[in-house]
Amino acid sequence: MQLYNTLSAEERAELIDQAGKQRLTLSFYAYAKIEDPKKFRDNLFIQWNQLDALGRTYVAKEGINAQMSVPAENFEAFRETLETYEFMRGIRLNVALEHDDHSFLKLTVKVRNKIVADGLNDETFDVTNIGVHLKAKEFNHILEDPNTIVVDFRNHYESEIGHFKGAITPDVETFRESLPIINKQLKDFKEDKNLVMYCTGGIRCEKASAYFKHQGFKNVFQLEGGIINYAKQIKEENLESKFIGKNFVFDHRLGERITQDIVSQCHQCGKPCDNHTNCVNDGCHLLFIQCDDCKAIMENCCSSECLEITNLPLVEQVKLRRGKQVGNRVFRKGKSDKLLFKHSGELSDKSLAVAQTRAKGELSAAKPKDIRQKIKVKKVLLGKVEHYYVKAQVGLFIIENNELKVGDTILITGPTTGTEELVLEKMLVNGNENTLATIGDKVTFEVPFRVRLSDKLFKILE
């Protein structure tokens, strides 16, 4: 019974391309009492894995929060897996406006204490006493009311590339930070103002609206289904968009365009731009806005220091990272003194430029360059990791296919390890030094980074 991923992101991307079938990107959430989150989690994984559903899902005793990529042909079957649970019957699935077959490349379902880290003690207030849900047309109408205060409950790196006009955009890195800040900032408006809130898909507002009603705010409203659902409704109903710019999303796309307005700048040169990227240096992974020109010059790096590091031999890079919290373990959300044109907090509603209109399908095809560049590398699977000797920094591999020679360029890939490349300079074959290994051989050689049992060994072909 498979309960975890067995393929790397690159292998999954290759299979998706080979299948050539459309995939839908969607999100949903539901608050409910789940007695056994672990059992619930395992059941979901088994069913979704059979449907080739990918994505990131958090399950807790308080409910479920999911962002998914599902084959279009399996959409209804996927919905049926949800509706077997009473609390998800008729659940709203927020389907993205733009679809990218590579939006998610793994299926991850994790059990957490909460489905959103809000820092609240749910026992101290009624979490079901939520604000009034507003559809797009109603939301637009209430924004015209001079007694309305609209608040963005997303983080600074989300609101920077797009937000509702006139919204308060807290300069925070986490949802939990925004709650006390807004409560203090609006403490004098609890009786006579409309507190109108929004977020990406609605889940943060679901808890925030109940919290602010508990804090004494009389007129609390929230955008139903968040920006994702709002964008869908304004398109279907031909409404004016009060949202300007892009909606940040938590998949490989990192953004979904709502209007053609560009309201942010490249953090490196200041040119109008709203495309996020992660610094390619594995010791950094800073999230920041980078235009195509800077991407080419800086090779996807956030600074000259990171650029220098990425051009060092892999062994040297690993030495620099040793003993430090790096990469995905420290997701730095766009705050660095290296980013000269970073803006957060009070944001302008002024459009700096207009995004170029692309032909249908071109936008999504242009986004996931990194993965598609990786899968262009011609490689052959050799085998898998059998063991890793931490102190000696030596990996043991079993050759299951083809042959391995000293001098070959190899790739080691895995869900946690990522993709690492090195040239094989020396190896032991079945305990003896040799230059050739064939099917069935046990091979050991020095690996300057930790590998795991789920990792696979490839040889790059010329």
Side-chain angles (χ1 to χ4, degrees):
M1 185 184 301
Q2 184 181 334
L3 293 174
Y4 300 93
N5 279 285
T6 57
L7 297 177
S8 68
E10 290 76 25
E11 290 172 307
R12 179 71 69 178
E14 197 162 8
L15 288 177
I16 289 172
D17 283 348
Q18 289 172 1
K21 297 179 179 179
Q22 183 191 8
R23 300 182 69 89
L24 303 177
T25 302
L26 56 94
S27 62
F28 64 91
Y29 69 89
Y31 280 100
K33 289 186 178 180
I34 299 175
E35 296 298 329
D36 190 344
K38 175 63 168 60
K39 182 180 179 181
F40 179 64
R41 176 263 173 213
D42 290 349
N43 288 339
L44 288 180
F45 192 98
I46 292 168
Q47 293 179 81
W48 291 353
N49 190 52
Q50 292 172 347
L51 296 174
D52 193 24
L54 306 172
R56 184 189 305 112
T57 298
Y58 298 136
V59 171
K61 288 189 174 182
E62 67 172 358
I64 181 172
N65 180 18
Q67 295 87 40
M68 304 293 296
S69 169
V70 180
E73 64 183 15
N74 293 342
F75 180 75
E76 291 305 324
F78 177 81
R79 184 190 291 276
E80 288 175 8
T81 67
L82 305 180
E83 296 194 343
T84 57
Y85 300 94
E86 186 174 349
F87 73 89
M88 287 195 284
R89 287 175 188 164
I91 191 170
R92 181 186 60 250
L93 301 180
N94 282 332
V95 180
L97 291 178
E98 302 167 358
H99 297 289
D100 187 323
D101 293 343
H102 292 193
S103 59
F104 288 102
L105 295 172
K106 296 179 183 178
L107 175 56
T108 304
V109 187
K110 294 184 177 181
V111 175
R112 292 285 178 86
N113 291 327
K114 287 196 170 190
I115 54 177
V116 175
D118 51 37
L120 298 175
N121 181 356
D122 294 352
E123 303 300 322
T124 61
F125 66 102
D126 183 359
V127 296
T128 67
N129 184 24
I130 60 176
V132 177
H133 283 89
L134 299 175
K135 297 187 183 299
K137 189 174 183 178
E138 299 166 323
F139 193 82
N140 279 0
H141 180 72
I142 202 170
L143 292 187
E144 300 294 335
D145 188 333
N147 287 320
T148 290
I149 298 174
V150 60
V151 180
D152 190 328
F153 276 96
R154 300 173 303 152
N155 306 323
H156 66 84
Y157 58 92
E158 299 174 80
S159 58
E160 184 178 10
I161 61 170
H163 49 270
F164 278 96
K165 297 175 183 178
I168 295 173
T169 52
D171 187 12
V172 296
E173 291 197 12
T174 62
F175 172 51
R176 70 172 68 193
E177 291 177 67
S178 64
L179 296 173
I181 291 174
I182 294 301
N183 191 32
K184 182 178 180 181
Q185 189 173 344
L186 303 182
K187 60 183 175 61
D188 296 329
F189 304 103
K190 294 183 179 183
E191 298 285 340
D192 57 345
K193 295 290 186 181
N194 299 320
L195 176 57
V196 180
M197 56 187 67
Y198 69 90
C199 56
T200 306
I203 187 171
R204 283 176 269 192
C205 294
E206 202 79 4
K207 185 67 70 71
S209 67
Y211 169 77
F212 281 101
K213 289 187 74 173
H214 173 70
Q215 292 297 316
F217 287 83
K218 302 300 182 185
N219 307 307
V220 180
F221 303 85
Q222 62 192 93
L223 180 58
E224 183 180 86
I227 301 165
I228 296 174
N229 197 41
Y230 177 86
K232 180 182 177 183
Q233 289 180 359
I234 61 171
K235 184 176 180 181
E236 291 175 347
E237 300 174 29
N238 196 28
L239 302 173
E240 176 192 0
S241 177
K242 300 289 187 179
F243 186 95
I244 182 171
K246 248 184 184 181
N247 180 29
F248 185 94
V249 293
F250 295 87
D251 57 56
H252 285 297
R253 296 173 299 155
L254 294 179
E256 186 174 74
R257 185 160 298 289
I258 308 300
T259 71
Q260 297 303 112
D261 303 281
I262 297 176
V263 298
S264 52
Q265 298 172 272
C266 171
H267 287 162
Q268 293 176 318
C269 73
K271 182 187 300 182
C273 178
D274 52 13
N275 294 328
H276 274 102
T277 189
N278 282 109
C279 180
V280 75
N281 176 18
D282 285 333
C284 178
H285 286 185
L286 177 72
L287 179 72
F288 68 108
I289 298 174
Q290 186 178 49
C291 69
D292 290 342
D293 290 340
C294 289
K295 187 182 289 286
I297 295 170
M298 299 300 293
E299 299 177 16
N300 278 65
C301 292
C302 70
S303 63
S304 55
E305 291 86 347
C306 282
L307 179 59
E308 290 175 8
I309 290 173
T310 59
N311 286 311
L312 293 173
L314 178 60
V315 175
E316 294 300 317
Q317 293 184 44
V318 172
K319 285 181 180 178
L320 289 173
R321 301 198 299 264
R322 191 166 294 151
K324 298 179 181 179
Q325 287 283 87
V326 297
N328 291 330
R329 286 175 289 175
V330 182
F331 181 51
R332 298 171 59 203
K333 303 183 180 81
K335 288 290 185 75
S336 169
D337 57 9
K338 304 288 193 303
L339 305 179
L340 302 179
F341 297 92
K342 163 71 181 173
H343 299 288
S344 57
E346 293 186 14
L347 300 174
S348 171
D349 295 335
K350 182 181 177 182
S351 176
L352 303 177
V354 177
Q356 293 182 353
T357 303
R358 301 173 186 264
K360 186 177 181 181
E362 188 179 344
L363 182 64
S364 61
K367 286 293 289 177
K369 294 274 188 181
D370 296 340
I371 285 293
R372 288 199 170 96
Q373 285 170 355
K374 287 178 181 178
I375 65 174
K376 285 179 182 177
V377 176
K378 292 184 178 180
K379 59 185 185 293
V380 61
L381 178 65
L382 296 178
K384 61 184 180 182
V385 175
E386 182 73 12
H387 191 68
Y388 182 68
Y389 303 92
V390 179
K391 291 185 178 180
Q393 290 192 308
V394 168
L396 170 62
F397 303 81
I398 296 179
I399 305 300
E400 299 175 341
N401 179 55
N402 214 280
E403 60 182 30
L404 176 65
K405 297 178 182 177
V406 168
D408 284 343
T409 301
I410 58 176
L411 283 177
I412 300 174
T413 69
T416 304
T417 305
T419 300
E420 301 286 359
E421 178 180 324
L422 66 149
V423 176
L424 185 61
E425 298 178 349
K426 180 181 177 181
M427 65 177 173
L428 297 181
V429 180
N430 300 324
N432 299 309
E433 186 171 345
N434 207 325
T435 59
L436 174 68
T438 57
I439 295 174
D441 287 339
K442 290 188 176 182
V443 177
T444 53
F445 53 84
E446 187 175 338
V447 183
F449 48 85
R450 179 153 192 163
V451 294
R452 296 152 182 88
L453 292 181
S454 59
D455 293 354
K456 291 181 173 58
L457 174 67
F458 294 87
K459 176 170 66 174
I460 293 180
L461 304 176
E462 296 297 333

